[in-house]
Amino acid sequence: MSKKWVYVFSKEKTEGNRNDKNLLGGKGANLAEMTAIGVPVPPGFTVSTEACLNYYDAGEKITDEIKDQAKELIAFIEKNSGKKFGDVNNPLLFSVRSGARVSMPGMMDTVLNLGLNDEVVEGLATKFDARFAWDSYRRFIQMYSNVVLNMDGEVLEHKLSELKAAKKVTIDTELTADDLKELVATYKTTVKEATGELFPNEPIEQLWKAIGAVFASWNNERAMIYRQMHGYSHDWGTAVNIQSMVYGNMGDDCATGVCFTRDPSTGDNRFFGEYLVNAQGEDVVAGIRTPQPINNESKTDGNRDLPTLQEIMPKCYDELVTIYKKLENHYQDMQDIEFTIENGTLYLLQTRNGKRTAAAGIKIAVDMVSEGLCTKEEGLLKVDANELDKLLHPRLDPEAKKDIIGKGLPASPGAAYGQIVFDAATAVEWVEAGKEVLLVRMETSPEDITGMVAANGILTARGGMTSHAAVVARGMGTPCVSGCPTVLVNNKNKTVMIGGIEYKEGDAITLDGGTGEVMAGKVPTIKAEISGDFNTFMAWADETRRLKVRTNADNPEDSAAAVGFGAEGIGLCRTEHMFFDPERILAIREMIFAENLSDRESALDKLVPFQKADFLGIFKEMDGKPVNIRLLDPPLHEFLPHEKVDKENLAKALGKTLAEVEARGDSLHESNPMLGHRGCRLGVTYPEIYKMQVRAIIEAAVESANNGVNVIPEIMIPLVGLASELKTLRADAEVVIADVFKKAGKEVKYKIGTMIELPRAAITAGEIAKHADFFSFGTNDLTQTTFGLSRDDAGKFLPEYVNKGHFLVDPFVSIDQDGVGFLIEHATKYGKESNSKMHIGICGEHGGEPASVEFCHRAGLDYVSCSPFRVPIARLAAAQAVAREKINNK
Amino acid sequence: MSKKWVYVFSKEKTEGNRNDKNLLGGKGANLAEMTAIGVPVPPGFTVSTEACLNYYDAGEKITDEIKDQAKELIAFIEKNSGKKFGDVNNPLLFSVRSGARVSMPGMMDTVLNLGLNDEVVEGLATKFDARFAWDSYRRFIQMYSNVVLNMDGEVLEHKLSELKAAKKVTIDTELTADDLKELVATYKTTVKEATGELFPNEPIEQLWKAIGAVFASWNNERAMIYRQMHGYSHDWGTAVNIQSMVYGNMGDDCATGVCFTRDPSTGDNRFFGEYLVNAQGEDVVAGIRTPQPINNESKTDGNRDLPTLQEIMPKCYDELVTIYKKLENHYQDMQDIEFTIENGTLYLLQTRNGKRTAAAGIKIAVDMVSEGLCTKEEGLLKVDANELDKLLHPRLDPEAKKDIIGKGLPASPGAAYGQIVFDAATAVEWVEAGKEVLLVRMETSPEDITGMVAANGILTARGGMTSHAAVVARGMGTPCVSGCPTVLVNNKNKTVMIGGIEYKEGDAITLDGGTGEVMAGKVPTIKAEISGDFNTFMAWADETRRLKVRTNADNPEDSAAAVGFGAEGIGLCRTEHMFFDPERILAIREMIFAENLSDRESALDKLVPFQKADFLGIFKEMDGKPVNIRLLDPPLHEFLPHEKVDKENLAKALGKTLAEVEARGDSLHESNPMLGHRGCRLGVTYPEIYKMQVRAIIEAAVESANNGVNVIPEIMIPLVGLASELKTLRADAEVVIADVFKKAGKEVKYKIGTMIELPRAAITAGEIAKHADFFSFGTNDLTQTTFGLSRDDAGKFLPEYVNKGHFLVDPFVSIDQDGVGFLIEHATKYGKESNSKMHIGICGEHGGEPASVEFCHRAGLDYVSCSPFRVPIARLAAAQAVAREKINNK
């Protein structure tokens, strides 16, 4: 039996429905669905995505089997419509459109009027109107030449302009039928010259070529790039929709338009759209004539005086209203509809869920739920969780002029303006002097932290989405563009080349951390605002989700901000970020240079009051919520200065020679610091460091409790790979804790657990769980070790990996579910089996990424933790995971 | 019911046997076993290892329950022997010995004559002989003070010397009973002064203290270090054996001795031992009196004139012969026996499997099988596979004087002498001039390869057992000591500090790569020799094992050597080692500096003839055996020069400026090169590199086949983490292969597969297997990524990890079975499930380590691959895995 490649949609017979998007493409599935529910849609058929894959398998050829099936359906449509494809007297004409399972603007879009040729046009002219016939034919040749024959659209457009000039007319409609006939002849000559071949005159040949062109467009460059950007697979293929033409341009009882069932900018529940009388659909979008409002609600300053569809074609308008309500009800979402009126008869060409702004999305969801159009779960799924980010950060004024001088990775969203500075000290100094600055560096390191806090935004030449700059910036909600390859900083001269142009310290630039764009000068921005609908919507999310949402925060300010965003605790407080304050860093460095345990301990003793103060502030902000504090993680060399002048100052401060300072630096050097002497390995070799930190945490907890704060400290030991590491370090900590309790005459509850960030930890989670009150997946490092891929270095080849389809999405952005996910599921299963009382969370950057959050829900985690500004995203994504589960289980 | 802590062994009743080593310790289990088979052993009892753990749990106390059980058994022995513990007239005296499940020389050894005190000694003097009684007492005090009371042994020894001087005698036996009585008084005063407490006079108190001291000795420093060295767990605990004393020093019808049932040096089947008349056991070992030969076979130049036991006590000797045969039969292994004759009655104090040289081990195993004493499987298990290494490398003359100046890791076995050189060029030059050299460096890199080939041995300051130096040296069979912390190289001055002493280029040193020792000057060595027994033994191994054994070799010479050692193929041919030849490295560097594809391809084209020549040579040597060739693995920056002068030369050669050369180096710099742009990631981003290599391999294969060589090439793609990587690179390779076949008009069989060296590859092995003809576990990198542990950096803290018991054995030496092993088992299971035709091996450094080989056998791998000199070890270990399985399944 032969395979089915082609599917019909028509009043008489429809194959498929909206669930067949993978087979029929989004457009094809919708056409079938609309037809099936009785919406007037011009009949046609869809060549499936499988046929597209077959086309490639067959060496970019449409096989006879597919052609035969298509011909059968053409005959079926001919029979029901009475029209005939290629017939001179009553021709059936087609539109041909691409249609992948998701909308893809990069692909071949549309060819209209296919089936016209030198003979058919004459019949059409005789039967209807000569001007219409020749205009349709020249339009067809123009479109077909462009999208099927790949000719530069300008070439034929130029011939049209020439003709208008010769005829001394200014607008197309002033051209007569004869003018257009002359134009067709010119077009055909031009096509022959440009392509070396005659314009195809045989309708069926036109059709096969058009279908082939759609299939080929699946792999054109724009489409490839679009898929890469959106993480869509190159293996999906596209369908082709062949639909009978109806005409909005056959006279004044004809029209064509687009409409939205609600306002896509604000979400207001008003029917909204534009149309043109006596025109084809492309005219509405093309912007040559000013489109008219379909009703009073659609009027704007630009079209207020033009008659509405409601006024001039009330019957069709009323029918359109009935249909849009039917569609919104049916699809339970705001629709974006294309329609045509042919001699007073309304046809719908397309309907789809309309794109909308983040704010509109929330309003529509909230309204639809209160209107009873959908359930809360369905409402929650109407908003892309990632879009929430846009509501929380300032954004560029969309009206403003932008002089884009570079593009990097969108590392931390929001728009920011400032004067360029190249180092932390200058950043702090200038900000104190009242200036606004952007910190520009090749890459940032923990030394730069004070400058990063002071700056409005951060721009780096190197580093990916999880580089130091990106992670810290997201944590603070500071806009950041990282890994901008055309940036080259010269620290010595205090200049930076951006895209070949030199900028000096103090020059103004603007960043958009949501797009990765870098702009010259100051571009105006719009402040973030949150509506009441947002709060209603997020309240639904909160009552729906099972996962708790915590935040990654290292200081009282960020903690407070996160609580404002709905954080239910701290999932990761990185203690090392506290060490880079100038007052503290010297004590750390003293510790590093100490030659024996007692010197090390006295250096560490100096840090206790600082650490304690940090924790007191955080505990206060997080009153009643758990605070997970990670003990020292980075290798010690990260705390040493890199610049010669800093090394000299350090030598002076420590009473050592520069050579000694450099020698210690050299002795701490590591070939692969990511896999080096860090995390709990420091705790094992220098137990005094962790003991100091545990003392500070527990002393602060006791003091907070004495002040009436409800403290829930969790002590997290990083980079455990062996159960014995955790066992030993837990025992060390418990000795210190017992001592603090004894001295204070008071106890507080606490937990001790570990990060699971090494494959071995995940594999042996059952053993490790015996010594842990909790696990927290450090998915940044777990991704690095599982893939054997350094996030600092991967930037050089990751883009090519994405281009070539090896990664659909950067595994540092969204959890690699097959690999890293396997380890998370394994560790969760065996961890809980071994210790049923433990709780399990995730604190890597993935904790605020919707697909990863949904994965964490399915894997049975108890919470996710992310940077403060991503907390709402995580809350919604967690709720959507539940909603999707409920709907799927129905 | 109370737990059983104490177990008796006596003619009347014996609890336990040789299988109870974990509970009773090796010594205790053997005493029970010997007693049970009727060997005359002085009765006693064993306090179990569980009691030792209980001692620590109870806060280093022996609980009353244990004491009560011990007292019951003392009463039982008293009843059967008629002697009484602490009785003046007929005293029962005990020896007290430690005994862990394995022999541990680091622990407390033995206290004899326990139960003597001021009263009992008088009774003994009356009943037997006053001199014997007081001599026993002073010996007891001396031993007890040392091993139980932790006094410096020298102190009492010095008192003895003083007394002898005062009495004007030279040897101990010249002292009279009164002298010894005086000495006892002096001893007791001295003990009081040194310890602040009276010497315990109460026998039962002496016993508890002695048992406690044995338990405490489990955690003394020497014992801890010994366990660390041997990878034994600190959690085992030790047992204590309390045994009735018998006396070899009660007169001339008494004797004591040690014997081996076969010669431990040669393996010859001759009964062999030493004894002393009228002496205690310690006298034989102590070397104060010259021990006598037990029979003619035991005579040496040093004792030829002394009477044998056979001559002076023929009855006892005959009984000893009967017993040793019984024991050898029973234990089916060569025994190391301690015996005592008390007034003409023979007692056996201990028997154990005797230590032996590697050569002796093989001879004994071969003999015992032919004598029908054991099966081939049992014979195979009698030799420690690791010991074979010693048979294959030159070793230091054991008689030679050694001036040890440093100690590093035993990275590649064998002894080597040479003059110090610091760079590859000098090494090559000096060797060409007829000198013998040792290459001394902080660490080696691929640039040093020619020097490493030229040198007799390699010494590095940094790097572990799997550092570059170690891996390459083992591959070549060149002795190497790596990671010697007291070595500091000054390349500028061409000097090296070793343990604080400066050596210049040209100074002579000697290395022992089997021990890690570095010696001043030239120490004489002994050449390796292989006996016929070795071949017999290895033939048994080959017929027993299931695993195939391949080798890691990169050139025809090593390949030939490996075939000589029994290799059945090449499991890893690293192509990049071939690139460091001066003629080739320039082409590689041209490729790195090429600015476009076509320049890169022309640079690569220059390499094809070189690579082809390499492969032709290897294919010829490996005629009929599979050759697994890994495509380029290291990051490109490894091929760039590091020294300024080399960079300048390169700039000249490439027609570039120094700044350009340095800039390219900087652009290739990686923070974590181990996790960087390497392996198949190079193949994905620069497909032309792998295409060149595939072309060279297949062209060489076709040419070899034309020359009548049976070629079985396997192309291995490294560092795959995603199935799509392998799919793409396999497709690329197949295009090249088809082209070569077409041009040659001939095809050869080939396989394409991948290394599994990333956790993600192991996890998703089922997917990857769809595109692979084979897997090979790269356990070096798999260990690094699973643990998140860089082998280049771990050296700094790994020793402390071993010291503190976190690692029983370096995971880079023996596979971490719980973590890395899980991934190997997972990948093997899912790989074979998905593709039943695939074969699976291991090519990491673990492939030649016996415990890892056994693991590979159990995990269901098809082969292991290791450096040529370890091939025999792997063959034996693979056979032992089968033998152990068969014996366990009996």
Side-chain angles (χ1 to χ4, degrees), chain B residues 385-386 389 549 552 813 842-853 864-867 869-875 877:
Chain B
N386 267 322
D389 227 5
V549 177
N552 300 349
V813 171
I842 174 179
C843 62
E845 283 297 306
H846 301 95
E849 190 275 331
S852 307
V853 172
V864 298
S865 186
C866 55
S867 52
F869 280 84
R870 296 193 77 83
V871 166
I873 296 176
R875 285 159 66 201

Side-chain angles (χ1 to χ4, degrees), chain B residues 561-744:
Chain B
V563 170
F565 286 130
E568 295 164 295
I570 288 182
L572 176 61
C573 171
R574 297 177 176 91
T575 50
E576 58 271 18
H577 284 185
M578 306 172 173
F579 289 161
F580 284 95
D581 191 284
E583 285 184 281
R584 307 174 180 192
I585 188 83
L586 185 62
I588 281 283
R589 289 170 178 171
E590 267 178 43
M591 187 272 289
I592 295 173
F593 280 87
E595 275 159 22
N596 55 51
L597 176 62
S598 91
D599 286 359
R600 253 196 319 275
E601 283 177 338
S602 25
L604 287 165
D605 282 346
K606 297 186 193 167
L607 287 167
V608 173
F610 291 119
Q611 287 253 296
K612 218 173 124 177
D614 294 327
F615 299 137
L616 281 171
I618 293 173
F619 286 143
K620 195 172 162 200
E621 292 297 342
M622 301 306 290
D623 191 2
K625 301 184 180 69
V627 176
N628 183 315
I629 299 166
R630 180 177 72 183
L631 302 185
L632 191 71
D633 186 50
L636 295 183
H637 51 74
E638 282 202 8
F639 297 105
L640 294 184
H642 298 116
E643 305 293 330
K644 197 176 168 197
V645 54
D646 297 329
K647 288 179 188 171
E648 283 167 347
N649 288 339
L650 178 59
K652 216 173 291 168
L654 296 174
K656 298 204 177 274
T657 64
L658 178 61
E660 284 170 326
V661 166
E662 287 184 333
R664 182 72 180 127
D666 288 349
S667 80
L668 288 175
H669 169 80
E670 295 184 311
S671 312
N672 294 287
M674 167 66 212
L675 309 177
H677 194 179
R678 49 173 287 241
C680 72
R681 295 163 191 169
L682 293 171
V684 168
T685 52
Y686 303 111
E688 55 279 9
I689 299 178
Y690 278 11
K691 285 182 187 163
M692 176 279 284
Q693 294 195 293
V694 170
R695 178 169 302 280
I697 293 167
I698 298 297
E699 284 183 0
V702 169
E703 199 171 315
S704 297
N706 284 338
N707 295 337
V709 177
N710 179 5
V711 280
I712 312 176
E714 299 177 349
I715 296 171
M716 180 152 73
I717 293 169
L719 210 73
V720 162
L722 301 153
S724 66
E725 290 170 325
L726 183 58
K727 185 181 170 189
T728 302
L729 294 171
R730 183 184 185 112
D732 284 358
E734 283 175 338
V735 170
V736 173
I737 293 171
D739 184 58
V740 174
F741 286 167
K742 200 173 152 198
K743 284 188 183 142

Side-chain angles (χ1 to χ4, degrees), chain B residues 286-344:
Chain B
I288 299 164
R289 287 160 62 188
T290 304
Q292 301 167 224
I294 57 167
N295 54 16
N296 288 336
E297 285 72 32
S298 307
K299 285 188 174 173
T300 65
D301 290 346
N303 63 16
R304 196 165 301 283
D305 301 332
L306 300 173
T308 67
L309 185 69
Q310 192 170 17
E311 285 159 4
I312 63 169
M313 297 184 190
K315 199 182 122 280
C316 285
Y317 178 79
D318 288 348
E319 196 184 346
L320 186 60
V321 167
T322 310
I323 290 169
Y324 99 69
K325 288 186 175 161
K326 186 178 201 170
L327 286 171
E328 212 185 59
N329 253 303
H330 185 71
Y331 288 106
Q332 297 181 345
D333 205 349
M334 185 265 274
Q335 295 298 296
D336 167 359
I337 293 167
E338 291 177 22
F339 66 91
T340 283
I341 297 167
E342 187 184 67
N343 305 130

Side-chain angles (χ1 to χ4, degrees), chain B residues 126-140:
Chain B
T126 312
K127 193 167 178 191
F128 297 101
D129 168 82
R131 201 196 163 281
F132 160 70
W134 286 102
D135 190 42
S136 298
Y137 194 25
R138 75 93 192 163
R139 282 169 188 267
F140 165 59

Side-chain angles (χ1 to χ4, degrees), chain B residues 496-529:
Chain B
V496 55
M497 300 289 288
I498 307 179
I501 300 168
E502 189 178 276
Y503 295 84
K504 291 188 199 60
E505 189 177 67
D507 286 351
I509 56 171
T510 302
L511 303 178
D512 185 341
T515 62
E517 285 168 351
V518 184
M519 289 143 282
K522 177 168 184 170
V523 180
T525 57
I526 297 172
K527 260 190 77 175
E529 264 175 51

